[in-house]
Amino acid sequence: MIARVIVTPKPVVNDPQGLTVKQGLGALGFTEVTDVRVGKYIEVKLEDGSEHEARRRVEEMCRQLLANHVIEDFHFDLEQEHKRR
Amino acid sequence: MIARVIVTPKPVVNDPQGLTVKQGLGALGFTEVTDVRVGKYIEVKLEDGSEHEARRRVEEMCRQLLANHVIEDFHFDLEQEHKRR
């Protein structure tokens, strides 16, 4: 099972990294860019199990370690791995 | 138009950040985690235009600034913003 977690700064929180990227893109001529927000992408591989249980566990991982809930939001998708033996 | 860009370390590249997160999750009791890879998530808002042109421009942004093509892969989705006036 693979969980693809995306952690983003909350909309009300300043994002200096995003601002810097926006300015960098502008300097390169990408003047159509109006806003940039930078977050994290985390791919977590899990031992096989039920999707329901995996969802509960990954949510717990986000709360305990992957995201700072004061300043960040998170969401994730789960995907079953299809292995050939 | 919003582009949601995901930049990940290439599979052959070491990912010390991912390893650290994996160890952290293990220490918290998430022993079902077998692998973690950490990448970047970048949300780029663009002035309205054709999807075809936006795709070309965002691909160029990734090549020039957002991703390091030696050690990173990238992919992105485009989504039209539905504004109410």
Side-chain angles (χ1 to χ4, degrees):
Chain A
M1 186 95 76
I2 301 183
R4 298 176 210 281
V5 181
I6 288 176
V7 179
T8 48
K10 286 188 198 249
V12 296
V13 171
N14 277 336
D15 176 15
Q17 203 183 349
L19 192 63
T20 303
V21 171
K22 183 186 167 217
Q23 288 168 350
L25 288 171
L28 288 170
F30 296 105
T31 49
E32 73 268 46
V33 174
T34 58
D35 193 28
V36 177
R37 306 284 288 175
V38 176
K40 284 174 285 183
Y41 170 77
I42 306 158
E43 215 172 76
V44 181
K45 279 194 195 170
L46 305 164
E47 281 167 18
D48 285 343
S50 79
E51 184 171 328
H52 178 76
E53 177 66 9
R55 191 166 294 280
R56 200 183 61 76
R57 293 286 282 177
V58 173
E59 180 124 6
E60 203 49 45
M61 289 176 207
C62 291
R63 288 187 199 289
Q64 287 191 35
L65 185 76
L66 303 182
N68 177 345
H69 72 101
V70 178
I71 55 168
E72 293 173 327
D73 292 322
F74 66 86
H75 65 272
F76 61 88
D77 293 324
L78 288 173
E79 191 191 304
Q80 210 67 249
E81 283 178 282
H82 299 286
K83 290 185 194 160
R84 288 167 195 272
R85 304 198 179 189
Chain B
M1 186 96 75
I2 301 182
R4 298 177 211 278
V5 181
I6 288 176
V7 179
T8 48
K10 287 189 197 247
V12 296
V13 172
N14 278 335
D15 177 15
Q17 203 183 348
L19 192 63
T20 303
V21 171
K22 183 188 168 212
Q23 288 167 351
L25 288 171
L28 288 170
F30 296 106
T31 49
E32 73 269 45
V33 174
T34 58
D35 193 29
V36 177
R37 305 285 287 177
V38 175
K40 285 174 285 183
Y41 170 78
I42 306 157
E43 214 171 77
V44 181
K45 280 193 195 171
L46 304 164
E47 282 168 16
D48 286 342
S50 79
E51 185 171 326
H52 177 77
E53 177 67 8
R55 190 166 294 280
R56 199 182 64 75
R57 293 287 280 177
V58 173
E59 179 123 5
E60 201 50 46
M61 289 176 206
C62 290
R63 287 187 199 289
Q64 288 190 33
L65 186 75
L66 304 181
N68 177 345
H69 72 102
V70 178
I71 55 169
E72 293 172 327
D73 292 322
F74 66 85
H75 65 272
F76 61 88
D77 293 325
L78 289 173
E79 190 192 305
Q80 210 69 248
E81 283 178 283
H82 298 285
K83 289 184 195 161
R84 288 167 196 273
R85 302 193 182 195

